[in-house]
Amino acid sequence: MQGSGVKVVEERELCAGRRFSLKRVVVEYEGRRFTRDLLEHPGSVAILPILQDGSVVLLRQWRPGCRCWLLEAPAGTIEPGESPEETARRELLEETGLAADELINLGSVYPTPGTSSEKMHLYAARAHPKTRPRPEEDEILVTVRMPFDRLYEMAIRGELLDGKTVLLALLARARGIA
């Protein structure tokens, strides 16, 4: 059923940034036309790092979209030529200083399909400390370590505002990973 009867009849780039572009897309369906703005995104990963003692490492990160600090799982954009697994390992090391001993694929989601083409690949990682975090120059973040059960309870109670982190906590518990 995906795309059945739907046709993209026009696509125009409005603005291009360092990693993303904004496009105007005209879609036709059953003789009607709709215009949508679309953020063209190369894809991303999100990782729930689990240490040997069962605790998890998260980030307290300032985000411009909400103009607030969020508690969230490490994540990042897939770079050209990188596989999602390579991106997950790179982002985990950069943002937390942890190396993944094992990456467990939890699936993929489209976080905001109404406005973005971003496909997010979700992983749990059995990880160990390797180095100090080395976030990108424009990232404002602090690592936070906590028991997985605390993270899970925060997700269930609605205390986490970051969707990918809530989903990772629920999937890790449902699959018996943490």
Side-chain angles (χ1 to χ4, degrees), residues 11 25 28 31 44-45 64 73 82 86 93 95-96 105 134 140 154 162 169:
E11 189 172 305
V25 178
E28 190 173 89
S44 63
V45 301
E82 265 186 339
E86 290 169 327
L93 190 62
E95 293 185 344
T96 67
N105 187 336
R134 291 188 175 98
I140 304 168
M154 291 174 73
D162 179 61

Side-chain angles (χ1 to χ4, degrees), residues 42-161:
S44 63
V45 301
I47 314 102
L48 180 65
I50 305 167
L51 300 178
Q52 190 172 13
D53 67 0
S55 63
V56 295
V57 177
L58 302 170
L59 305 171
R60 185 172 174 268
Q61 189 163 1
W62 191 86
R63 292 300 198 172
C66 63
R67 291 173 177 75
C68 67
W69 289 90
L70 291 176
L71 184 63
E72 59 184 273
T77 301
I78 298 171
E79 296 292 340
E82 265 186 339
S83 69
E85 294 83 7
E86 290 169 327
T87 303
R89 290 180 187 281
R90 176 181 54 76
E91 288 291 341
L92 184 63
L93 190 62
E94 286 176 5
E95 293 185 344
T96 67
L98 298 173
D101 298 317
E102 176 186 15
L103 277 180
I104 303 162
N105 187 336
L106 299 177
S108 301
V109 296
Y110 288 98
T112 52
T115 58
S116 174
S117 65
E118 178 184 9
K119 184 177 186 178
M120 181 177 284
H121 305 271
L122 304 170
Y123 296 93
R126 305 247 185 248
H128 69 275
K130 182 172 182 176
T131 185
R132 66 175 183 80
R134 291 188 175 98
E136 292 182 32
E137 188 176 299
D138 62 349
E139 292 179 309
I140 304 168
L141 54 85
V142 176
T143 58
V144 176
R145 184 173 171 170
M146 70 174 62
F148 174 79
D149 287 343
R150 180 169 172 225
L151 172 67
Y152 181 75
E153 287 302 319
M154 291 174 73
I156 294 299
R157 288 194 305 263
E159 295 172 10
L160 295 175
L161 296 179

